[in-house]
Amino acid sequence: MSHPMAIVAAALEYISAAEELSAQLGYPFLGVVPPSEVIDVPQVLSRGDQLRLCATGRKAAGPVLVDFVGGALAHRRRYGGGKAQPVAKAVGLRSGFYPKILDATAGLGRDAFVLAALGCEIHMLERNPVVFELLRDGLHRLRLAAMEDRELAVIAERMSLLGHCSSAADWLGQQPEESLPVVYLDPMFPPRGKVTKVKKEMVAFHHLVGADEDAAALLAPALTACYYRTVVKRPKLAPYLTEKKPSLSLEGKSGRFDIYTKHGVPG
């Protein structure tokens, strides 16, 4: 039987951890093999210092991982625009008001990290078990780095990954009414048009996650569970989720934020 995914170890010392991951996720373990030399499965999880999702074959794009310490997120933390960023405005963040946020579609945790860096407490949900492991690995490395960096330590304290659940809609539906200050939704949307270089690096991720066909089921329980607002991140030209018009929308560089308000934020 063919598998959509397999597990490999980046070096001999990671074999035990890779075997454990294989047993946990139910994907075969191929041993210490570079992803470029794997030909029988389209993607692998490579267990090394970092957990990496890799497309296979010699012409595959680069790996996908969660990196809260360096790279693009480190640059954005320092130079991203602070509270003036559209995502910050969308959740209602302002001086003296830093809402607790439930990110119900956490993905690779990028927006969650940005909001935590700006002062919000973030609880993340992720239903895909592979993406959940990528997130957990990224948070683990963030907390290791935080032991030597007080600024990262403060951010790490604000971020938590809730236990794996197969349905964010069901999880939201089980929460008491108006118990979550802000709910943030960023469902995967089918790609359109030309594929950019950045998107090519995400081929393995998009292949793994696909489009969130049940995205519409998230909005109603989110609106019931939130107190201040529910924020939905969408591509600029995408229709409203469930065709429900938001209270207002904010446009960013590559998309927009549809905001469904219930109670006014303090200010």
Side-chain angles (χ1 to χ4, degrees):
M1 183 178 70
S2 61
H3 289 272
M5 165 105 42
I7 311 297
V8 300
L12 289 173
E13 61 264 36
Y14 300 110
I15 287 179
S16 178
E19 287 178 333
E20 183 179 335
L21 191 61
S22 170
Q24 177 184 331
L25 294 176
Y27 294 124
F29 174 56
L30 304 182
V32 182
V33 186
S36 61
E37 296 182 9
V38 176
I39 58 174
D40 295 330
V41 291
Q43 51 193 353
V44 296
L45 271 179
S46 177
R47 178 70 273 178
D49 283 343
Q50 303 165 324
L51 186 63
R52 296 172 172 239
L53 175 66
C54 307
T56 57
R58 298 191 178 278
K59 295 184 179 181
V64 174
L65 69 154
V66 174
D67 184 4
F68 295 132
V69 178
L73 283 179
H75 184 272
R76 188 171 175 184
R77 173 162 59 94
R78 296 184 177 95
Y79 310 111
K83 296 183 181 70
Q85 296 176 74
V87 67
K89 293 180 179 179
V91 301
L93 191 155
R94 61 188 65 179
S95 182
F97 180 66
Y98 302 87
K100 292 182 180 180
I101 300 168
L102 185 282
D103 185 346
T105 54
L108 298 175
R110 292 170 179 171
D111 286 341
F113 178 83
V114 169
L115 291 168
L118 293 174
C120 296
E121 182 180 323
I122 309 290
H123 301 284
M124 296 178 287
L125 278 179
E126 175 51 49
R127 70 175 183 174
N128 185 287
V130 172
V131 181
F132 181 88
E133 291 302 322
L134 291 170
L135 264 177
R136 182 155 67 174
D137 180 70
L139 278 173
H140 173 70
R141 287 183 282 104
L142 171 63
R143 293 192 168 108
L144 288 178
M147 296 171 72
E148 312 241 339
D149 185 325
R150 180 57 191 162
E151 186 177 346
L152 286 177
V154 172
I155 297 172
E157 288 170 359
R158 298 182 186 131
M159 298 181 71
S160 66
L161 178 61
L162 303 178
H164 179 253
C165 70
S166 59
S167 171
D170 288 348
W171 189 95
L172 285 166
Q174 294 167 8
Q175 307 312 302
E177 187 173 350
E178 298 191 350
S179 62
L180 304 172
V182 174
V183 177
Y184 184 78
L185 305 175
D186 181 13
M188 189 70 72
F189 194 78
R192 294 180 176 178
K194 295 182 179 179
V195 178
T196 66
K197 289 184 178 179
V198 173
K199 287 182 180 176
K200 284 180 180 178
E201 293 175 0
M202 294 288 285
V203 164
F205 182 76
H206 285 277
H207 179 78
L208 170 70
V209 177
D212 283 326
E213 303 296 343
D214 59 349
L218 292 169
L219 187 58
L223 291 174
T224 299
C226 78
Y227 181 81
Y228 291 111
R229 59 181 58 185
T230 290
V231 177
V232 182
K233 186 176 183 179
R234 301 291 277 167
K236 279 188 178 180
L237 300 179
Y240 299 135
L241 199 58
T242 73
E243 300 185 3
K244 182 177 178 62
K245 187 176 180 180
S247 307
L248 68 154
S249 294
L250 295 175
E251 285 200 357
K253 290 182 179 180
S254 59
R256 72 170 196 271
F257 298 93
D258 294 334
I259 303 163
Y260 300 83
T261 61
K262 287 178 76 174
H263 301 285
V265 300

